Amino acid sequence: MLSRPKPGESEVDLLRFQSQFLASGAAPAVQLVKNESRRGASANLDQPRLQDQRDVVMLDNLPDLPPALVPAPPKRAKPSPGRPLADHVDPEERLNRHDQHITAVLTKIIERDTSSVAVNLPVPSGVAFPPVFHRSQERQRKPATSGKRSIFAQEIAARRGSEASIPPVREVVSTQDQPEGAVTCESLTPREQDHQLPCGSQNFQGPHLITGKGLRDQEAEQEAQTIHEENIARLQAMAPEEILQEQQRLLAQLDPSLVAFLRSRGRTHEQAEEKAIKEQRAGGPSVEVTGEEPIRPTSASEPRQEDELEPGTPALALPVAPHKEWLHMDTVELDKLHWTQDLPPLRRQQTQERMQARFSLQGELLAPDVDLPTHLGLHHHGEEAERAGYSLQELFHLTRSQVSQQRALALHVLAQIISRAQAGEFGDRLVGSVLRLLLDAGFLFLLRFSLDDRVDGVIAAAVRALRALLVAPGDEELLDSTFSWYHGAMVFPLMPTQKDKDDEDEDEEPSGEKAKRKSPEEGNQPPSDLARHDVIKGLLATNLLPRLRYVLEVTCPGPSVVLDILAVLIRLARHSLESATRVLECPRLIETIVREFLPTSWSPAGVGPTTSLHNVPCAAAMKLLRVLASAGRNIAARLLSSFDLRSCLCRFVAEAPQELALPPEEAEMLNTESFRLWAVAASYGQGCDLYRELYPVLIRALQVMPKELSTHLSQPLSMQRIAALLTVLTQLTLAASSTALQPSSDSAEAGLSATPSLITWTQVSGLQPLVEPCLRQTLKLLPRPEMWRALGPVPTACLLFLDAYYQTWSQQPDLCPGDWLQDMERLSEELLLPLLSQPTLGSLWDSLGRCSPLCNPQSCAPVPEALPSLVSLGCTGGCPPFSLAGSASPFPVLTSLLTLFNTLARIHKGLCGQLAAVLAAPGLQSYFLQCVAPMAAPLLTPFSVWALRHEYHLQYLALSLAQRAATFQPVPATNAALHHGMALALLSRLLPGSEHLAHELLLSFVFRLEFLPERTSGGPEAADFSDQLSLGSSRDPGCGRGALLAQACQDLPSIRSCYLTHCSLARASLLASQALYRGELQRVPALLLPLPEEPLLPTDWPFLPLIHLYHRASDTPSGLPPADTVGTAVRALQWVLVLESWRPQALWAVPPGARLARLMCVFLVDSELFRETPIQRLVAALLARLCQPEVLPNLNLDCPLPGLASFPDLYANFLEHFEAVSFGDHLFGALVLLPLQRRFSVTFRLALFGEHVGALRALGLPLTQLPVSLECYTGPPEDNLALLQLYFRALVTGALRPHWCPVLYAVTVAHVNSFIFSQDPKSSDEVKAARRSMLQKTWLLADEGLRQHLLHYKLPNPTLPEGFELYPQLPTLRQQYLQRLTLGMTQNGVSET
């Protein structure tokens, strides 16, 4: 017998089996018969198949290679054998004749009219789920007798049986809504109803069996009603006996199943009517039910009583009671069924207990007691199920769902929450920061993981959330709107400062761990550590840029995702030069953006929203390139050369916005960003060759500008585009300057130099006649505030262009100076001077103080959600109108106006006096008075540094104009002092990036005699007179403070040289700043300013030379003083004395304790410096200023002092130095005694009397030369027991004697006397014992003079030789107390020793 093939046998075995079968000649087990035709299939069943027709596999003729997978030739239909097709037969007719498909029959059926069929909506149910069939019901019934039947068949049979026999029910129906005379019928059993006559015709509300379905609307209703009325009329005409007989006859004739169906249909209608009546009368009085309870059908929502839970199971109020007989409910887990029960009632908060914040799907913060319906989808959570909304923890949990829609929803809600938090919508309703909580929970890396998702919807939601976290919309709007301001293209990097990082480290980690963590380089730190201090750096460390490139290039997302990614890239580029470089160097990122979103040719977009931004120009992509170019000149050069941006700029600048095949708003923004990118490139002297190609386009734009200013005034985008165009022309005009670069060997300066500009003065000289009319047109709108605000930055851009134009014109060596001087005179007479006399310009000056961030520091306060690790300007929601960046701000226009005035005054000296009249504006004077008033140092937040930089520009330009005017005409004393105080305040506030301004203030303003009017108005004499009144003694006129001030005024040039040396700034930063402010474009390194960690100069910059001397002496191992130490110290002390006497507000930020510490540094430089006579006089004068009654109360040495680690340590060094080198110098001793006042810390007195008691012999300062009152040392009484014991020991041992140290001798005697006679009952036993012991030792002293002083001390009196008064005789109380003590000593046998 042949075996069958088994699993695992190869094709060779199958061929062998086939050969064996063929060789045996056995009959096959199965015959395969081909059905030739449907009708003749039976005729061929008995015909055996031929042997040669078997399917036999042969491998002999098969090719070695498989056949090629090419399309097979089309098959042709051939007639079956024996049935040839006749040529005269029509194929279509033959097909119709033999067609037996169902459609051949249905086509002859006339479709009925269904237009009258009513559409019935699903009936609302009160349960959560539809009724389901329970297996337990079937088990309670009798088993089926007709064999094995399905559950469904059994259920249908049970229903039919229940319909045939329904138990009797009696029900009383309310009759309150029926009309008068209506007769009600009781509900009878079905059997009774069969033999019961119908009630009145009023019970027949309409036909139940005949509905007219299938007829037209009117016919159906009319026919059904007609039949119904005929039936009613016939029934009313018949007698009751006839009706019963007819009923019995019909029941005998009809099929019983049909009768059961009709009865069930009638009952269904009745139940529906009763249910409707009950629902309508639910608000009325309740219906009383009598008789037996009606039997209700078993449903899922009404569990049966016999279906009980297992014993011991707690009963739950569930809408569906679980049963063991249900499918997969063998084991009932009640914990998992809690979600099916009704929500618990909402708890009303009765206390101030904090509750978990919950948010809606739109990111709104929901109140704890808000009651929202459940269909909003806000109750799908386990904790606090009664409260609507989701917590952050639940949203985080949802982001890890396996359902992509849930992940996308969670990310979307989190993005909405972040946006609302940054907008400040939550306010103080939440405890803590939402952003900080999210970042601490790892939200940043959750977004990064979500970007790697495979679902496009999740990627889109993650990108949206990332944009909401990183990008503040108000920041970009602010920076874009101020691009055309004075140096508005230069911005600070949006990255955390090192100070912020250190502060955060101090809050989070101990010092030891901080030192360990700071040791490795940032590149070796994990992304989590980087993100804790800098979110952007942490993101870049996770390969974010390649992933964003992949999303843009491969997945081709929708427009919103593309815009979100570009916004994120712009934020990364604004972070720092390093981040911008990484964006530029990311493989194929910029190439993809330029290729896909800045094409030079594209298909016009159709009507409706854009479905894709690929291969369509996008303004955000152009803005990204502009922000990258602002980071550095090298990046700008690489963008222009490597990505062919010149073609893009030509393409989008050459056509007007209305001619681009783009939406109008997008076309305006794209044209504006193209101008801004060109302006940034021109700021480095790059891209100037495009000017020759686009010259006709620019001229045409300037020619239509006046018309656009009058017609497009209400379109902010048009105003921004015009301002960007003027900014480009300004930079191109500066590029035409022929200022020759000075050769330098400095590598940093040489690296900034580049090839000369490709644009000449001849090419830009014709622009001024086109721009000046635009300026005149805008200035005409100045009296109309609304229209003036609508102009935006256009007037500012016009004024800045004129400034660059005249600056470049004056630098052309081949032109006649008379030409530009004459043109300047024309401009000032026709435009500028009339402008100064307008009242509306005065209103702009008056609003300076209201819009100043310096005078209103609250306008620069950090936003509630500001994080040190994620820097933001905090401008979400826009700026108020009356703020520096608001629409009504006067700063941009006035700053540009002062810029033009300075340029004209520098070139044309004859215009200085006329243009300087602007400085006499009352609004400007009032603003300067507010700025020089004592105030706290402005808080350096990201927005404040940006705003203060623009405010400092206006202040510097006003002072520069005043300095130029002071050269040619005398300045009033009041204005000179105000301007000088303003310059001193500005010098200590300037931020990094303004090194040129600080250098110019030191060089040409601060140390000018013209701005010290006290020199010629009796200032020195007034100082001497004031000292005589305060000190009460006359000194040598040549040594007084007046003579020192007069000498300081004569030495101002030397003082200026000293401070230029010691306040010097970094050379590279100074050169870069000079190139920016002077318009030397070839030397500009970048438009990204240095990181503003702190102001350029410290607040105590007048003491910098003294501090440098101290540090040099400390670092010099030989101890030799540096060269010219005396000269440096004298110049610094002279300037400090000038400021203390005539500009005290300039030193207001330096507390008196810090000033005292700086003076002590003079004595610590070496052992001989303090002996110099000029030093002695200057230090004495400064010490007298510190000891004035109005200054002395502010002298606080117990608090941390700026610039000083520890004042006690400095005082300890000072005591040691005094003990070593003072040799009893009285001035040195006065400085030692000043911190020993009673109100200061006891540490200083313990250091002297405990560790440096030998210095007491050198403290020979007379009582008459003590700079402060003696009462400052003697009161209140000393309460430190250790110090009192040191006092007593120094007196008893002779270390402190009146002729060695008269001041401290009087002080110690006063405190010891007060202690030994004190009788405070609250004193401790130790203090009482020490007091008794000290008094006993005083009574037994051998030194009669000291004993007399200690016992008979009365009051301090510095006029007496001892410094205090004595009692001629002890007071009675003291005498009695002393007698009791001596009596006790005698009784105890105490002998004198």
Side-chain angles (χ1 to χ4, degrees), residues 52 107 143 362 390 432 464 493 523 716 822 843 964 1105 1257 1286 1349:
D52 56 358
T107 53
Q362 289 74 34
Y390 300 95
R464 183 64 181 176
Q822 185 177 1
S843 64
R964 298 183 190 280
R1257 187 166 185 175
L1286 291 177
H1349 290 166

Side-chain angles (χ1 to χ4, degrees), residues 1266-1347:
L1266 188 64
V1268 296
S1269 174
L1270 186 60
E1271 284 77 3
C1272 296
Y1273 296 88
T1274 58
E1278 185 64 59
D1279 55 357
N1280 187 279
L1281 182 60
L1283 181 59
L1284 289 169
Q1285 292 175 349
L1286 291 177
Y1287 282 169
F1288 188 73
R1289 186 180 66 179
L1291 291 172
V1292 172
T1293 58
L1296 181 61
R1297 299 183 180 181
H1299 57 279
W1300 286 352
C1301 186
V1303 176
L1304 292 183
Y1305 181 83
V1307 172
T1308 55
V1309 168
H1311 286 297
V1312 172
N1313 175 267
S1314 176
F1315 176 71
I1316 61 178
F1317 286 108
S1318 175
Q1319 299 182 20
D1320 187 6
K1322 298 181 181 180
S1323 301
S1324 62
D1325 295 339
E1326 181 184 4
V1327 173
K1328 294 179 179 179
R1331 181 187 302 119
R1332 188 180 302 107
S1333 174
M1334 193 176 298
L1335 182 56
Q1336 293 173 356
K1337 293 178 181 179
T1338 303
W1339 175 258
L1340 300 176
L1341 280 176
D1343 188 349
E1344 187 61 28
L1346 178 60
R1347 180 172 175 272

Side-chain angles (χ1 to χ4, degrees), residues 957-1026:
L957 292 171
L959 295 176
S960 179
L961 184 61
Q963 179 264 330
R964 298 183 190 280
T967 308
F968 302 98
Q969 61 183 9
V971 184
T974 305
N975 293 345
L978 178 60
H979 293 163
H980 192 249
M982 186 70 243
L984 292 172
L986 178 61
L987 185 60
S988 61
R989 295 169 180 167
L990 287 175
L991 300 171
S994 303
E995 290 83 359
H996 172 67
L997 307 185
H999 185 266
E1000 289 296 320
L1001 287 176
L1002 289 174
L1003 185 64
S1004 59
F1005 198 100
V1006 173
F1007 302 102
R1008 290 193 58 172
L1009 286 174
E1010 292 84 355
F1011 294 99
L1012 289 175
E1014 294 86 354
R1015 170 184 61 96
T1016 57
S1017 60
E1021 294 79 4
D1024 287 339
F1025 184 70
S1026 175

